[in-house]
């Protein structure tokens, strides 16, 4: 038997017999195919030794047991010295036997294959030349090993679904395959460990087959373990011990490989050699492994990422152009976001749980620490590879938005305690700030954030606003070119259009309707002496915007003016108000000359407006506010530029508050406006009373009303009487038909009611009776909202009046009808004004008996009581309110998007060239005149019912009939 000691003569005789047997029975081609692997290998070694004369008598005397006479399974008992000496003769045959394709075709062959691999790794690998490992060993063995491992994995996966506790054969087979795979991974670990023990510098080119093969096996193992629940169909417990062992072996193998790679030396001056390509492959392969193990082992996952970042930075100079930066950043952002979501879920669970669990809190802290690690890793990577991250800017932008959309005070945030919010903000969110600092100077990031076509879902609009504010806070410390990059628009033909930072802030602020109406709150420190105070989103943005204005670079002031003006002219009221607040701050912060210059510009814009529109309303509010910040000398200059005595300037003075002027100047200016206004009213009344001129008359009435509201005490008795007389004559001109059919008459009425109400104490009682009676009838026709608001103002002013006994029976029932109708209105704005007006009337009136009669229903009574007690009509939980606001935000955003789309469409269309319809104004005036004539005839008929006809009436009617006949003939002639 081989392996036992025999006399020399017997050994010689045996050699002769075996040589004869081999030469007669087994040819070289046949001998490797007809016996089991371990005996086939033994015969190969024996044959080779005979042919080369290795079994000489001298060798037999040197050692008792020749190497060629030992079977495969007994090689493991060889000493190190024996293995080293026999390496040149044994290793080639071991490699031939290992690469024999027939070993791959059966499970028994797999086992023998692994036995050979283990023998090579454990017995002969330590004695190989490290510089030639790739050629002599790795390139021949590792590809076959990977093929073997893949075959076993395929077989394992194919039969795993048949696994059951009853099918012992399948169970045994699968466990045998898993055991063999564990041995394969262990053998690869031995290869890596051997390379690590070398004292020479490790060059990847000398072991390039090793990293790729090892990483392939590791990834395949982790993927199988990750999918084991579905692969084994609920029978995982039958093989779980071996799967766990396989995972641990792969885990150990990867740690060993990362230790090896950390020892690699690379030429930092050459970036196109094989070492560079191999290192890039390693990093990309580990990146794929990261995506597999992210949910399996958090610590291992983090260590893998740590190694990726470390190696990327270590070899940055040579691998920076070959790395897939976009993939690395994307995967890192995804893992960061997943960890953050997990952290928030744990925090939310702890908030909802009544009992505090220390284990949950420790897990929360561990996850939070993981978030910070990922954020720091991303920070280091972006710092070193920023020039190569142009196609990753969108991912980084979305990461910032996603994180802040899930964290308070976002409407879409998890509900977590204040303590946990502070802990997360202090440990994790602070790391995002330096990330923004790095990206601030990077032009591709600027284009992504300020993209003119940027469309974000509802939950990301608020975070976008926060990001822009953060960027705005950082710009003052940046060079002028960076500030210019952010604060100017770009319309380059070959690149997407970019808006300015200020315009983007107003755009995003406009989209935060839900956060503004709730409102959400921030913690802000007012000063060093004061404690943190909660501020709304509006306050937050406004304060930071004004702070930014103080440090705005002078060269960029045209951009500031354009952005503020554009925001003021927006349809969204709250955005326009924000721009006005910022503009007013600028007026106070700047010089008196700058404020006067802005007032002049706004004044000219108002005078150039073609008619009533929301832009005119916004500009008028801005002018009114800026006028208060003008210094007296500049106010005098304004009066000289736009003298109030000239009718063409009344469109300006109707929007100004005379309270902004010094006392003497206020009195003089108010008198000039009232004189000019009264004169304009008399001129219109004495003329043809054309409806086409009614717009100018409305401007006059508005200016008179402005005087009454802000400088009424400056009017002497004569001026007051002149205004009252003009108002009374205008009232006689109005009738129901005109009001219901002409918007300009409706505007006149909405100005005339409050003007008459201001002078309620001096009005003729009969006129008051007519107005109240007429208002009660008008409300039944459902006039526009601004008319009903004017009715409210007049009705409220009656609380200051003691109504004489002779007209109480007429006025009080009608007045109660007016209040009852307006209090029952379903328009929320009108309802609020009605409650305020009725409350003021009830507090001031001497006629207390009318108050209960105004409350026509139980619902109205409850509304008034709730208003007085300052309680809501409907009880609403915080969660319900947030959900309602989110739904409203979606509705408002759809409406706003539609308005923007229509505006964009109209702005791109050119108007058709066509003749203006100059006859429209004349036609309207003609219709109004005819309706007025009809109204006059109806009024005459009512008067005739109360008494006899005057003696002159028949002659007047004949004359009127003649005029009607003349008009009829003219119409017939024009029609012919």
């Amino acid at each position: 038997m081989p392996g036992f000691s025999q006399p020399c003569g017997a050994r010689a005789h045996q050699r002769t017999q075996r040589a004869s047997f081999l030469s007669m029975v087994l040819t070289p081609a046949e001998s490797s195919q007809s016996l089991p692997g371990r005996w086939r290998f033994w015969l190969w070694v024996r044959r080779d030794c005979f042919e080369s004369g290795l079994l000489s008598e001298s060798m037999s005397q040197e050692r008792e047991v020749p190497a060629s006479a030992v079977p495969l399974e007994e090689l493991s008992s060889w000493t190190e010295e024996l293995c080293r000496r026999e390496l040149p003769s044994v290793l080639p045959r071991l490699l031939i036997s290992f690469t024999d394709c027939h070993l791959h075709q059966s499970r028994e062959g797999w086992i023998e294959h692994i036995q050979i691999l283990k023998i090579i790794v454990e017995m002969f690998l330590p004695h190989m030349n490290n510089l030639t490992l790739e050629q002599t060993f790795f390139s021949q063995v590792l590809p076959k090993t990977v093929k073997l491992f893949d075959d076993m994995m395929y077989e394992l996966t194919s039969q795993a679904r048949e696994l059951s506790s009853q099918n012992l054969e399948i169970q045994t087979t699968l466990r045998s395959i898993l055991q063999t795979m564990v041995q394969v991974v262990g053998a690869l670990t031995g290869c890596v460990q051997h390379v690590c023990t070398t004292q020479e510098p490790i060059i990847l080119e000398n072991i390039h087959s090793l990293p790729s093969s090892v990483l392939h096996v590791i990834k395949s193992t982790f993927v199988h373990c990750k999918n084991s629940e579905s692969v084994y169909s609920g029978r995982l417990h039958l093989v779980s011990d071996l799967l766990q062992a396989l995972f641990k072996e792969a885990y150990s193998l990867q740690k060993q490989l990362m230790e090896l790679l950390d020892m690699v030396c690379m030429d930092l001056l050459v970036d196109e050699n094989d070492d560079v390509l191999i290192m890039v492959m390693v990093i990309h392969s580990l990146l794929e492994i990261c995506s597999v193990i992210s949910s399996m082992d958090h610590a291992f996952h983090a260590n893998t990422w740590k190694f990726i970042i470390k190696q990327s930075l270590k070899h940055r100079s040579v691998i920076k152009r070959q790395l897939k930066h976009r993939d690395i950043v994307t995967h890192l952002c995804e893992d960061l976001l997943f960890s953050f979501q997990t952290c928030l879920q744990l925090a939310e669970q702890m908030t909802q749980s009544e009992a505090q669990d220390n284990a949950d809190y420790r897990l929360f802290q561990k996850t939070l620490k993981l978030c910070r690690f990922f954020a720091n890793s991303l920070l280091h990577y972006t710092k070193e590879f920023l020039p190569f991250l142009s196609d990753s800017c969108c991912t980084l932008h979305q990461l910032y938005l996603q994180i802040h959309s899930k964290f308070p005070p976002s409407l879409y945030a998890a509900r977590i305690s204040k303590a946990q919010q502070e802990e997360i903000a202090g440990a994790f969110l602070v790391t995002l700030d330096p990330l923004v600092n790095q990206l601030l100077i990077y032009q591709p990031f600027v284009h992504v954030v300020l993209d003119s076509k940027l469309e974000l879902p509802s939950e990301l609009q608020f975070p976008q606003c926060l990001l822009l504010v953060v960027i705005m806070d950082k710009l003052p410390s940046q060079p002028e070119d960076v500030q210019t990059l952010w604060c100017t628009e770009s319309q380059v033909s070959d690149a997407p259009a970019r808006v300015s930072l200020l315009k983007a802030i107003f755009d995003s602020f406009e989209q935060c309707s839900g956060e503004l109406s709730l409102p959400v709150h921030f913690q802000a420190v007012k000063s060093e002496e004061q404690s943190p105070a909660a501020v709304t989103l509006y306050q937050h943005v406004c304060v930071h915007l004004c702070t930014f204005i103080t440090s705005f670079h002078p060269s960029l002031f045209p951009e500031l003016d354009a952005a503020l003006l554009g925001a003021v002219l927006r349809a969204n009221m709250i955005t326009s108000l924000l721009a006005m607040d910022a503009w007013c701050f600028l007026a106070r912060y700047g010089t008196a000359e700058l404020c006067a210059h802005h007032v002049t510009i706004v004044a000219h814009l108002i005078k150039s407006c073609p008619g009533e529109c929301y832009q005119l309303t916004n500009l008028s509010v801005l002018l009114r506010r800026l006028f208060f910040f003008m210094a007296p000398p500049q106010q005098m200059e304004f009066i000289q530029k736009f003298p109030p005595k000239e009718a063409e300037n009344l469109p300006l003075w109707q929007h100004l508050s005379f309270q902004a002027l010094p006392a003497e100047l206020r009195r003089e200016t108010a008198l000039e406006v009232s004189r000019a206004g009264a004169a304009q009213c008399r001129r219109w009344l004495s003329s043809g009373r054309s409806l086409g001129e009614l717009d100018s008359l409305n401007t006059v009435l508005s200016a008179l009303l402005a005087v009454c509201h802000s400088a009424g005490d400056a009017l002497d008795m004569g001026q007051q009487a002149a205004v009252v007389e003009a108002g009374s004559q205008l009232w006689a001109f109005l009738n129901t038909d005109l009001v219901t059919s002409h918007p300009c008459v409706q505007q006149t009425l909405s100005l005339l009611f409050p003007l008459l109400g201001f002078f309620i104490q001096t009005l003729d009682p009969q006129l008051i009776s007519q107005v109240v009676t007429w208002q009660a009838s008008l409300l039944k026709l459902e006039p526009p909202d601004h008319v009903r608001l004017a009715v409210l103002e007049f009705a409220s002013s009656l609380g200051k009046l003691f109504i004489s006994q002779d007209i109480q029976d007429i006025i009080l029932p009608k007045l109660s009808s007016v209040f009852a109708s307006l209090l029952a209105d379903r328009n929320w704005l009108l309802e609020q004004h009605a409650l305020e007006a009725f409350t003021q009337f009830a507090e001031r009136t001497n006629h207390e008996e009318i108050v209960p009669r105004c409350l026509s229903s139980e619902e109205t009574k409850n509304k008034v009581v709730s208003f007085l007690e300052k309680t809501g009509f409907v009880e609403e939980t915080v969660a319900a309110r947030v959900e309602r606001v989110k739904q409203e935000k979606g509705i408002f955003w759809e409406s706003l998007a539609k308005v923007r789309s229509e505006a964009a469409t109209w702005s791109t269309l050119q108007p058709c060239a066509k003749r203006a319809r100059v006859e429209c104004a004349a036609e309207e005036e003609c219709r109004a005149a005819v309706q007025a004539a009809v109204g006059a005839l109806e009024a005459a008929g009512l008067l005739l019912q109360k008494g006899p006809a005057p003696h002159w009436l028949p002659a007047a009617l004949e004359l009127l009939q003649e005029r009607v006949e003349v008009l009829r003939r003219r119409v017939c002639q024009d029609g012919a």
Side-chain angles (χ1 to χ4, degrees), residues 538-568:
Y538 187 95
Q539 293 171 318
H540 177 76
V541 176
C542 187
V543 168
H544 287 262
L545 179 58
C546 293
T547 304
F548 180 59
I549 289 174
T550 62
S551 58
F552 211 70
H553 198 277
S555 65
L556 298 173
F557 258 77
E559 302 293 336
L560 175 62
D561 292 343
L564 291 177
L565 180 58
V568 166

Side-chain angles (χ1 to χ4, degrees), residues 22-34 40 43-44 47-48 51 93 96:
L22 289 172
S23 64
M24 291 186 296
V25 179
L26 296 176
T27 64
E30 296 171 328
S31 60
S32 64
Q33 311 298 333
S34 56
R40 184 165 65 245
L43 289 175
W44 274 343
R47 183 186 66 201
D48 185 62
E51 291 175 354
R93 292 305 176 186
I96 291 173

Side-chain angles (χ1 to χ4, degrees), residues 15 51 58 129 235 245 254 315 452 479 482 500 551 560 636 737 774 784 829 973:
R15 285 197 302 271
E51 291 175 354
S58 61
N129 186 344
R235 300 292 184 267
Q254 181 174 321
H315 307 294
S452 62
V482 177
S500 70
S551 58
L560 175 62
M636 180 62 71
D737 291 335
W774 196 79
L829 183 60
Q973 290 174 0

